[in-house]
PDB file of all heavy atoms in Angstrom:
ATOM      1  N   GLN A   1      66.125 276.318 160.247  1.00 75.00           N
ATOM      2  CA  GLN A   1      66.790 275.357 159.379  1.00 75.00           C
ATOM      3  C   GLN A   1      68.096 275.926 158.830  1.00 75.00           C
ATOM      4  O   GLN A   1      69.119 275.231 158.771  1.00 75.00           O
ATOM      5  CB  GLN A   1      65.867 274.962 158.228  1.00 75.00           C
ATOM      6  CG  GLN A   1      64.637 274.185 158.670  1.00 75.00           C
ATOM      7  CD  GLN A   1      63.840 273.684 157.488  1.00 75.00           C
ATOM      8  OE1 GLN A   1      64.305 272.863 156.711  1.00 75.00           O
ATOM      9  NE2 GLN A   1      62.629 274.193 157.330  1.00 75.00           N
ATOM     10  N   VAL A   2      68.060 277.192 158.449  1.00 78.00           N
ATOM     11  CA  VAL A   2      69.272 277.836 157.928  1.00 78.00           C
ATOM     12  C   VAL A   2      70.357 277.890 158.999  1.00 78.00           C
ATOM     13  O   VAL A   2      71.542 277.672 158.720  1.00 78.00           O
ATOM     14  CB  VAL A   2      68.961 279.255 157.415  1.00 78.00           C
ATOM     15  CG1 VAL A   2      70.243 280.008 157.069  1.00 78.00           C
ATOM     16  CG2 VAL A   2      68.048 279.184 156.192  1.00 78.00           C
ATOM     17  N   LYS A   3      69.954 278.149 160.242  1.00 82.00           N
ATOM     18  CA  LYS A   3      70.911 278.214 161.348  1.00 82.00           C
ATOM     19  C   LYS A   3      71.626 276.875 161.536  1.00 82.00           C
ATOM     20  O   LYS A   3      72.842 276.823 161.720  1.00 82.00           O
ATOM     21  CB  LYS A   3      70.189 278.616 162.634  1.00 82.00           C
ATOM     22  CG  LYS A   3      71.122 278.794 163.824  1.00 82.00           C
ATOM     23  CD  LYS A   3      70.347 279.224 165.061  1.00 82.00           C
ATOM     24  CE  LYS A   3      71.301 279.366 166.259  1.00 82.00           C
ATOM     25  NZ  LYS A   3      70.565 279.780 167.492  1.00 82.00           N
ATOM     26  N   VAL A   4      70.870 275.779 161.473  1.00 82.00           N
ATOM     27  CA  VAL A   4      71.468 274.446 161.611  1.00 82.00           C
ATOM     28  C   VAL A   4      72.399 274.162 160.431  1.00 82.00           C
ATOM     29  O   VAL A   4      73.520 273.648 160.595  1.00 82.00           O
ATOM     30  CB  VAL A   4      70.372 273.365 161.687  1.00 82.00           C
ATOM     31  CG1 VAL A   4      70.984 271.963 161.620  1.00 82.00           C
ATOM     32  CG2 VAL A   4      69.557 273.525 162.958  1.00 82.00           C
ATOM     33  N   ALA A   5      71.961 274.502 159.226  1.00 78.00           N
ATOM     34  CA  ALA A   5      72.719 274.174 158.026  1.00 78.00           C
ATOM     35  C   ALA A   5      74.041 274.927 157.939  1.00 78.00           C
ATOM     36  O   ALA A   5      75.000 274.423 157.352  1.00 78.00           O
ATOM     37  CB  ALA A   5      71.878 274.469 156.777  1.00 78.00           C
ATOM     38  N   THR A   6      74.096 276.111 158.504  1.00 81.00           N
ATOM     39  CA  THR A   6      75.279 276.946 158.312  1.00 81.00           C
ATOM     40  C   THR A   6      76.213 276.975 159.516  1.00 81.00           C
ATOM     41  O   THR A   6      77.174 277.744 159.533  1.00 81.00           O
ATOM     42  CB  THR A   6      74.851 278.390 157.978  1.00 81.00           C
ATOM     43  OG1 THR A   6      73.955 278.877 158.993  1.00 81.00           O
ATOM     44  CG2 THR A   6      74.156 278.450 156.633  1.00 81.00           C
ATOM     45  N   GLU A   7      75.982 276.137 160.518  1.00 88.00           N
ATOM     46  CA  GLU A   7      76.910 276.097 161.637  1.00 88.00           C
ATOM     47  C   GLU A   7      78.195 275.369 161.243  1.00 88.00           C
ATOM     48  O   GLU A   7      78.266 274.704 160.201  1.00 88.00           O
ATOM     49  CB  GLU A   7      76.274 275.435 162.853  1.00 88.00           C
ATOM     50  CG  GLU A   7      75.987 273.962 162.682  1.00 88.00           C
ATOM     51  CD  GLU A   7      75.458 273.334 163.965  1.00 88.00           C
ATOM     52  OE1 GLU A   7      75.235 274.075 164.933  1.00 88.00           O
ATOM     53  OE2 GLU A   7      75.289 272.111 163.982  1.00 88.00           O
ATOM     54  N   LYS A   8      79.209 275.464 162.096  1.00 90.00           N
ATOM     55  CA  LYS A   8      80.553 274.975 161.779  1.00 90.00           C
ATOM     56  C   LYS A   8      80.580 273.498 161.409  1.00 90.00           C
ATOM     57  O   LYS A   8      81.181 273.110 160.397  1.00 90.00           O
ATOM     58  CB  LYS A   8      81.462 275.236 162.980  1.00 90.00           C
ATOM     59  CG  LYS A   8      82.898 274.775 162.804  1.00 90.00           C
ATOM     60  CD  LYS A   8      83.725 275.121 164.040  1.00 90.00           C
ATOM     61  CE  LYS A   8      83.258 274.347 165.254  1.00 90.00           C
ATOM     62  NZ  LYS A   8      84.126 274.590 166.444  1.00 90.00           N
ATOM     63  N   GLU A   9      79.920 272.652 162.202  1.00 91.00           N
ATOM     64  CA  GLU A   9      79.984 271.203 161.951  1.00 91.00           C
ATOM     65  C   GLU A   9      79.355 270.849 160.614  1.00 91.00           C
ATOM     66  O   GLU A   9      79.819 269.937 159.915  1.00 91.00           O
ATOM     67  CB  GLU A   9      79.279 270.448 163.075  1.00 91.00           C
ATOM     68  CG  GLU A   9      79.709 269.002 163.213  1.00 91.00           C
ATOM     69  CD  GLU A   9      81.182 268.880 163.571  1.00 91.00           C
ATOM     70  OE1 GLU A   9      81.624 269.545 164.524  1.00 91.00           O
ATOM     71  OE2 GLU A   9      81.887 268.110 162.884  1.00 91.00           O
ATOM     72  N   SER A  10      78.308 271.551 160.247  1.00 91.00           N
ATOM     73  CA  SER A  10      77.661 271.307 158.960  1.00 91.00           C
ATOM     74  C   SER A  10      78.623 271.590 157.804  1.00 91.00           C
ATOM     75  O   SER A  10      78.667 270.842 156.817  1.00 91.00           O
ATOM     76  CB  SER A  10      76.412 272.177 158.832  1.00 91.00           C
ATOM     77  OG  SER A  10      75.823 272.027 157.560  1.00 91.00           O
ATOM     78  N   TRP A  11      79.406 272.652 157.924  1.00 93.00           N
ATOM     79  CA  TRP A  11      80.372 272.974 156.861  1.00 93.00           C
ATOM     80  C   TRP A  11      81.483 271.925 156.792  1.00 93.00           C
ATOM     81  O   TRP A  11      81.947 271.566 155.697  1.00 93.00           O
ATOM     82  CB  TRP A  11      80.970 274.359 157.099  1.00 93.00           C
ATOM     83  CG  TRP A  11      80.030 275.475 156.752  1.00 93.00           C
ATOM     84  CD1 TRP A  11      79.371 276.297 157.616  1.00 93.00           C
ATOM     85  CD2 TRP A  11      79.614 275.869 155.436  1.00 93.00           C
ATOM     86  NE1 TRP A  11      78.577 277.179 156.929  1.00 93.00           N
ATOM     87  CE2 TRP A  11      78.705 276.951 155.590  1.00 93.00           C
ATOM     88  CE3 TRP A  11      79.911 275.419 154.149  1.00 93.00           C
ATOM     89  CZ2 TRP A  11      78.107 277.581 154.509  1.00 93.00           C
ATOM     90  CZ3 TRP A  11      79.314 276.051 153.071  1.00 93.00           C
ATOM     91  CH2 TRP A  11      78.420 277.116 153.248  1.00 93.00           C
ATOM     92  N   TYR A  12      81.927 271.421 157.952  1.00 94.00           N
ATOM     93  CA  TYR A  12      82.950 270.365 157.941  1.00 94.00           C
ATOM     94  C   TYR A  12      82.444 269.127 157.207  1.00 94.00           C
ATOM     95  O   TYR A  12      83.134 268.556 156.347  1.00 94.00           O
ATOM     96  CB  TYR A  12      83.325 269.978 159.377  1.00 94.00           C
ATOM     97  CG  TYR A  12      84.078 271.028 160.154  1.00 94.00           C
ATOM     98  CD1 TYR A  12      84.060 271.040 161.551  1.00 94.00           C
ATOM     99  CD2 TYR A  12      84.828 272.012 159.507  1.00 94.00           C
ATOM    100  CE1 TYR A  12      84.747 271.994 162.279  1.00 94.00           C
ATOM    101  CE2 TYR A  12      85.520 272.976 160.226  1.00 94.00           C
ATOM    102  CZ  TYR A  12      85.473 272.970 161.602  1.00 94.00           C
ATOM    103  OH  TYR A  12      86.161 273.912 162.315  1.00 94.00           O
ATOM    104  N   LEU A  13      81.235 268.702 157.561  1.00 93.00           N
ATOM    105  CA  LEU A  13      80.667 267.507 156.934  1.00 93.00           C
ATOM    106  C   LEU A  13      80.393 267.740 155.450  1.00 93.00           C
ATOM    107  O   LEU A  13      80.563 266.834 154.630  1.00 93.00           O
ATOM    108  CB  LEU A  13      79.381 267.112 157.661  1.00 93.00           C
ATOM    109  CG  LEU A  13      79.580 266.625 159.107  1.00 93.00           C
ATOM    110  CD1 LEU A  13      78.264 266.620 159.862  1.00 93.00           C
ATOM    111  CD2 LEU A  13      80.222 265.248 159.126  1.00 93.00           C
ATOM    112  N   SER A  14      79.989 268.956 155.110  1.00 91.00           N
ATOM    113  CA  SER A  14      79.750 269.281 153.700  1.00 91.00           C
ATOM    114  C   SER A  14      81.038 269.209 152.896  1.00 91.00           C
ATOM    115  O   SER A  14      81.038 268.779 151.735  1.00 91.00           O
ATOM    116  CB  SER A  14      79.138 270.683 153.584  1.00 91.00           C
ATOM    117  OG  SER A  14      77.864 270.741 154.183  1.00 91.00           O
ATOM    118  N   ALA A  15      82.147 269.628 153.499  1.00 93.00           N
ATOM    119  CA  ALA A  15      83.435 269.576 152.809  1.00 93.00           C
ATOM    120  C   ALA A  15      83.829 268.128 152.500  1.00 93.00           C
ATOM    121  O   ALA A  15      84.290 267.816 151.389  1.00 93.00           O
ATOM    122  CB  ALA A  15      84.510 270.255 153.648  1.00 93.00           C
ATOM    123  N   LEU A  16      83.639 267.238 153.473  1.00 94.00           N
ATOM    124  CA  LEU A  16      83.972 265.828 153.239  1.00 94.00           C
ATOM    125  C   LEU A  16      83.045 265.212 152.198  1.00 94.00           C
ATOM    126  O   LEU A  16      83.485 264.427 151.337  1.00 94.00           O
ATOM    127  CB  LEU A  16      83.872 265.044 154.558  1.00 94.00           C
ATOM    128  CG  LEU A  16      84.880 265.416 155.650  1.00 94.00           C
ATOM    129  CD1 LEU A  16      84.644 264.554 156.888  1.00 94.00           C
ATOM    130  CD2 LEU A  16      86.308 265.257 155.150  1.00 94.00           C
ATOM    131  N   TYR A  17      81.766 265.559 152.268  1.00 92.00           N
ATOM    132  CA  TYR A  17      80.816 265.020 151.304  1.00 92.00           C
ATOM    133  C   TYR A  17      81.088 265.568 149.903  1.00 92.00           C
ATOM    134  O   TYR A  17      80.862 264.883 148.903  1.00 92.00           O
ATOM    135  CB  TYR A  17      79.392 265.346 151.749  1.00 92.00           C
ATOM    136  CG  TYR A  17      78.325 264.588 150.997  1.00 92.00           C
ATOM    137  CD1 TYR A  17      78.339 263.193 150.969  1.00 92.00           C
ATOM    138  CD2 TYR A  17      77.306 265.250 150.332  1.00 92.00           C
ATOM    139  CE1 TYR A  17      77.361 262.492 150.289  1.00 92.00           C
ATOM    140  CE2 TYR A  17      76.322 264.557 149.652  1.00 92.00           C
ATOM    141  CZ  TYR A  17      76.353 263.176 149.632  1.00 92.00           C
ATOM    142  OH  TYR A  17      75.391 262.487 148.951  1.00 92.00           O
ATOM    143  N   THR A  18      81.584 266.801 149.837  1.00 91.00           N
ATOM    144  CA  THR A  18      81.960 267.375 148.546  1.00 91.00           C
ATOM    145  C   THR A  18      83.061 266.552 147.895  1.00 91.00           C
ATOM    146  O   THR A  18      83.054 266.333 146.676  1.00 91.00           O
ATOM    147  CB  THR A  18      82.437 268.832 148.720  1.00 91.00           C
ATOM    148  OG1 THR A  18      81.355 269.618 149.213  1.00 91.00           O
ATOM    149  CG2 THR A  18      82.916 269.420 147.406  1.00 91.00           C
ATOM    150  N   ALA A  19      84.000 266.088 148.710  1.00 93.00           N
ATOM    151  CA  ALA A  19      85.124 265.314 148.179  1.00 93.00           C
ATOM    152  C   ALA A  19      84.707 263.939 147.677  1.00 93.00           C
ATOM    153  O   ALA A  19      85.404 263.342 146.848  1.00 93.00           O
ATOM    154  CB  ALA A  19      86.207 265.169 149.247  1.00 93.00           C
ATOM    155  N   THR A  20      83.573 263.421 148.155  1.00 93.00           N
ATOM    156  CA  THR A  20      83.141 262.091 147.716  1.00 93.00           C
ATOM    157  C   THR A  20      81.995 262.183 146.706  1.00 93.00           C
ATOM    158  O   THR A  20      82.121 261.744 145.571  1.00 93.00           O
ATOM    159  CB  THR A  20      82.716 261.245 148.927  1.00 93.00           C
ATOM    160  OG1 THR A  20      81.703 261.938 149.676  1.00 93.00           O
ATOM    161  CG2 THR A  20      83.892 260.971 149.826  1.00 93.00           C
ATOM    162  N   PHE A  21      80.873 262.791 147.115  1.00 87.00           N
ATOM    163  CA  PHE A  21      79.751 262.912 146.188  1.00 87.00           C
ATOM    164  C   PHE A  21      80.082 263.876 145.046  1.00 87.00           C
ATOM    165  O   PHE A  21      79.732 263.634 143.890  1.00 87.00           O
ATOM    166  CB  PHE A  21      78.502 263.397 146.928  1.00 87.00           C
ATOM    167  CG  PHE A  21      77.305 263.561 146.027  1.00 87.00           C
ATOM    168  CD1 PHE A  21      76.585 262.454 145.609  1.00 87.00           C
ATOM    169  CD2 PHE A  21      76.918 264.810 145.576  1.00 87.00           C
ATOM    170  CE1 PHE A  21      75.496 262.596 144.761  1.00 87.00           C
ATOM    171  CE2 PHE A  21      75.831 264.965 144.738  1.00 87.00           C
ATOM    172  CZ  PHE A  21      75.116 263.850 144.324  1.00 87.00           C
ATOM    173  N   GLY A  22      80.764 264.982 145.365  1.00 86.00           N
ATOM    174  CA  GLY A  22      81.171 265.917 144.312  1.00 86.00           C
ATOM    175  C   GLY A  22      82.080 265.243 143.301  1.00 86.00           C
ATOM    176  O   GLY A  22      81.959 265.460 142.095  1.00 86.00           O
ATOM    177  N   ALA A  23      82.990 264.391 143.811  1.00 90.00           N
ATOM    178  CA  ALA A  23      83.877 263.654 142.902  1.00 90.00           C
ATOM    179  C   ALA A  23      83.086 262.650 142.069  1.00 90.00           C
ATOM    180  O   ALA A  23      83.349 262.474 140.871  1.00 90.00           O
ATOM    181  CB  ALA A  23      84.958 262.941 143.711  1.00 90.00           C
ATOM    182  N   TYR A  24      82.117 261.985 142.706  1.00 88.00           N
ATOM    183  CA  TYR A  24      81.309 261.000 141.983  1.00 88.00           C
ATOM    184  C   TYR A  24      80.572 261.637 140.804  1.00 88.00           C
ATOM    185  O   TYR A  24      80.694 261.189 139.662  1.00 88.00           O
ATOM    186  CB  TYR A  24      80.320 260.351 142.955  1.00 88.00           C
ATOM    187  CG  TYR A  24      79.162 259.661 142.283  1.00 88.00           C
ATOM    188  CD1 TYR A  24      79.373 258.596 141.420  1.00 88.00           C
ATOM    189  CD2 TYR A  24      77.851 260.089 142.502  1.00 88.00           C
ATOM    190  CE1 TYR A  24      78.309 257.960 140.791  1.00 88.00           C
ATOM    191  CE2 TYR A  24      76.789 259.463 141.890  1.00 88.00           C
ATOM    192  CZ  TYR A  24      77.018 258.405 141.036  1.00 88.00           C
ATOM    193  OH  TYR A  24      75.967 257.797 140.410  1.00 88.00           O
ATOM    194  N   ILE A  25      79.804 262.691 141.071  1.00 84.00           N
ATOM    195  CA  ILE A  25      79.041 263.325 140.002  1.00 84.00           C
ATOM    196  C   ILE A  25      79.973 264.008 139.000  1.00 84.00           C
ATOM    197  O   ILE A  25      79.759 263.941 137.790  1.00 84.00           O
ATOM    198  CB  ILE A  25      78.048 264.343 140.591  1.00 84.00           C
ATOM    199  CG1 ILE A  25      76.965 263.624 141.396  1.00 84.00           C
ATOM    200  CG2 ILE A  25      77.405 265.170 139.486  1.00 84.00           C
ATOM    201  CD1 ILE A  25      76.060 262.729 140.561  1.00 84.00           C
ATOM    202  N   GLY A  26      81.014 264.667 139.497  1.00 83.00           N
ATOM    203  CA  GLY A  26      81.935 265.362 138.605  1.00 83.00           C
ATOM    204  C   GLY A  26      82.676 264.418 137.675  1.00 83.00           C
ATOM    205  O   GLY A  26      82.746 264.649 136.461  1.00 83.00           O
ATOM    206  N   PHE A  27      83.222 263.327 138.241  1.00 87.00           N
ATOM    207  CA  PHE A  27      83.916 262.342 137.400  1.00 87.00           C
ATOM    208  C   PHE A  27      82.947 261.664 136.438  1.00 87.00           C
ATOM    209  O   PHE A  27      83.278 261.424 135.274  1.00 87.00           O
ATOM    210  CB  PHE A  27      84.603 261.290 138.273  1.00 87.00           C
ATOM    211  CG  PHE A  27      85.884 261.739 138.900  1.00 87.00           C
ATOM    212  CD1 PHE A  27      86.136 261.522 140.250  1.00 87.00           C
ATOM    213  CD2 PHE A  27      86.850 262.393 138.153  1.00 87.00           C
ATOM    214  CE1 PHE A  27      87.320 261.944 140.835  1.00 87.00           C
ATOM    215  CE2 PHE A  27      88.048 262.818 138.728  1.00 87.00           C
ATOM    216  CZ  PHE A  27      88.276 262.593 140.076  1.00 87.00           C
ATOM    217  N   ALA A  28      81.747 261.331 136.924  1.00 84.00           N
ATOM    218  CA  ALA A  28      80.764 260.679 136.058  1.00 84.00           C
ATOM    219  C   ALA A  28      80.375 261.583 134.889  1.00 84.00           C
ATOM    220  O   ALA A  28      80.153 261.102 133.773  1.00 84.00           O
ATOM    221  CB  ALA A  28      79.524 260.299 136.867  1.00 84.00           C
ATOM    222  N   SER A  29      80.308 262.883 135.129  1.00 78.00           N
ATOM    223  CA  SER A  29      79.952 263.828 134.068  1.00 78.00           C
ATOM    224  C   SER A  29      81.084 264.003 133.059  1.00 78.00           C
ATOM    225  O   SER A  29      80.849 264.111 131.861  1.00 78.00           O
ATOM    226  CB  SER A  29      79.602 265.193 134.676  1.00 78.00           C
ATOM    227  OG  SER A  29      78.495 265.091 135.530  1.00 78.00           O
ATOM    228  N   ALA A  30      82.312 264.040 133.562  1.00 81.00           N
ATOM    229  CA  ALA A  30      83.451 264.362 132.698  1.00 81.00           C
ATOM    230  C   ALA A  30      84.012 263.155 131.954  1.00 81.00           C
ATOM    231  O   ALA A  30      84.559 263.305 130.859  1.00 81.00           O
ATOM    232  CB  ALA A  30      84.557 265.008 133.535  1.00 81.00           C
ATOM    233  N   PHE A  31      83.892 261.951 132.520  1.00 80.00           N
ATOM    234  CA  PHE A  31      84.612 260.811 131.984  1.00 80.00           C
ATOM    235  C   PHE A  31      84.182 260.358 130.583  1.00 80.00           C
ATOM    236  O   PHE A  31      85.031 259.957 129.794  1.00 80.00           O
ATOM    237  CB  PHE A  31      84.568 259.634 132.957  1.00 80.00           C
ATOM    238  CG  PHE A  31      85.831 259.501 133.761  1.00 80.00           C
ATOM    239  CD1 PHE A  31      85.872 259.894 135.090  1.00 80.00           C
ATOM    240  CD2 PHE A  31      86.984 259.008 133.193  1.00 80.00           C
ATOM    241  CE1 PHE A  31      87.031 259.795 135.834  1.00 80.00           C
ATOM    242  CE2 PHE A  31      88.156 258.896 133.920  1.00 80.00           C
ATOM    243  CZ  PHE A  31      88.183 259.293 135.253  1.00 80.00           C
ATOM    244  N   PRO A  32      82.890 260.371 130.230  1.00 79.00           N
ATOM    245  CA  PRO A  32      82.579 259.938 128.855  1.00 79.00           C
ATOM    246  C   PRO A  32      83.325 260.743 127.788  1.00 79.00           C
ATOM    247  O   PRO A  32      83.935 260.165 126.878  1.00 79.00           O
ATOM    248  CB  PRO A  32      81.058 260.164 128.771  1.00 79.00           C
ATOM    249  CG  PRO A  32      80.582 260.000 130.173  1.00 79.00           C
ATOM    250  CD  PRO A  32      81.665 260.600 131.015  1.00 79.00           C
ATOM    251  N   TYR A  33      83.309 262.061 127.915  1.00 79.00           N
ATOM    252  CA  TYR A  33      84.020 262.881 126.940  1.00 79.00           C
ATOM    253  C   TYR A  33      85.538 262.750 127.112  1.00 79.00           C
ATOM    254  O   TYR A  33      86.285 262.698 126.127  1.00 79.00           O
ATOM    255  CB  TYR A  33      83.599 264.344 127.070  1.00 79.00           C
ATOM    256  CG  TYR A  33      84.264 265.249 126.061  1.00 79.00           C
ATOM    257  CD1 TYR A  33      84.080 265.041 124.694  1.00 79.00           C
ATOM    258  CD2 TYR A  33      85.094 266.279 126.466  1.00 79.00           C
ATOM    259  CE1 TYR A  33      84.700 265.848 123.758  1.00 79.00           C
ATOM    260  CE2 TYR A  33      85.723 267.097 125.540  1.00 79.00           C
ATOM    261  CZ  TYR A  33      85.524 266.873 124.191  1.00 79.00           C
ATOM    262  OH  TYR A  33      86.151 267.669 123.261  1.00 79.00           O
ATOM    263  N   LEU A  34      86.009 262.652 128.355  1.00 80.00           N
ATOM    264  CA  LEU A  34      87.448 262.493 128.609  1.00 80.00           C
ATOM    265  C   LEU A  34      87.970 261.207 127.980  1.00 80.00           C
ATOM    266  O   LEU A  34      89.041 261.189 127.350  1.00 80.00           O
ATOM    267  CB  LEU A  34      87.692 262.482 130.116  1.00 80.00           C
ATOM    268  CG  LEU A  34      89.150 262.435 130.575  1.00 80.00           C
ATOM    269  CD1 LEU A  34      89.830 263.780 130.341  1.00 80.00           C
ATOM    270  CD2 LEU A  34      89.237 262.064 132.057  1.00 80.00           C
ATOM    271  N   MET A  35      87.227 260.122 128.123  1.00 80.00           N
ATOM    272  CA  MET A  35      87.650 258.849 127.549  1.00 80.00           C
ATOM    273  C   MET A  35      87.670 258.905 126.032  1.00 80.00           C
ATOM    274  O   MET A  35      88.566 258.351 125.385  1.00 80.00           O
ATOM    275  CB  MET A  35      86.725 257.729 128.044  1.00 80.00           C
ATOM    276  CG  MET A  35      86.886 257.433 129.528  1.00 80.00           C
ATOM    277  SD  MET A  35      85.619 256.332 130.193  1.00 80.00           S
ATOM    278  CE  MET A  35      86.110 254.772 129.465  1.00 80.00           C
ATOM    279  N   SER A  36      86.703 259.580 125.435  1.00 78.00           N
ATOM    280  CA  SER A  36      86.679 259.690 123.972  1.00 78.00           C
ATOM    281  C   SER A  36      87.875 260.485 123.453  1.00 78.00           C
ATOM    282  O   SER A  36      88.352 260.238 122.348  1.00 78.00           O
ATOM    283  CB  SER A  36      85.372 260.343 123.504  1.00 78.00           C
ATOM    284  OG  SER A  36      85.334 261.716 123.841  1.00 78.00           O
ATOM    285  N   ARG A  37      88.368 261.419 124.257  1.00 78.00           N
ATOM    286  CA  ARG A  37      89.538 262.206 123.848  1.00 78.00           C
ATOM    287  C   ARG A  37      90.823 261.394 123.927  1.00 78.00           C
ATOM    288  O   ARG A  37      91.662 261.448 123.030  1.00 78.00           O
ATOM    289  CB  ARG A  37      89.659 263.459 124.726  1.00 78.00           C
ATOM    290  CG  ARG A  37      88.732 264.585 124.291  1.00 78.00           C
ATOM    291  CD  ARG A  37      88.845 265.786 125.208  1.00 78.00           C
ATOM    292  NE  ARG A  37      90.196 266.293 125.363  1.00 78.00           N
ATOM    293  CZ  ARG A  37      90.837 267.036 124.467  1.00 78.00           C
ATOM    294  NH1 ARG A  37      90.251 267.344 123.318  1.00 78.00           N
ATOM    295  NH2 ARG A  37      92.061 267.472 124.708  1.00 78.00           N
TER     296      ARG A  37
END
């Protein structure tokens, strides 16, 4: 499982998912306090 997860294509897809899901959770976490400021 580790071998599949750490191959090149997995890292490419993880990078794209980071930009979407990472942005979703990150913005959702930061925005309530950001808006209050």
Side-chain angles (χ1 to χ4, degrees):
Q1 294 186 65
V2 171
K3 184 179 179 180
V4 172
T6 54
E7 67 175 5
K8 180 178 66 175
E9 202 63 50
S10 176
W11 285 107
Y12 291 156
L13 293 165
S14 295
L16 294 180
Y17 193 57
T18 297
T20 55
F21 179 77
Y24 162 61
I25 293 295
F27 282 133
S29 298
F31 260 104
Y33 182 60
L34 185 73
M35 291 170 72
S36 71
R37 280 178 55 77

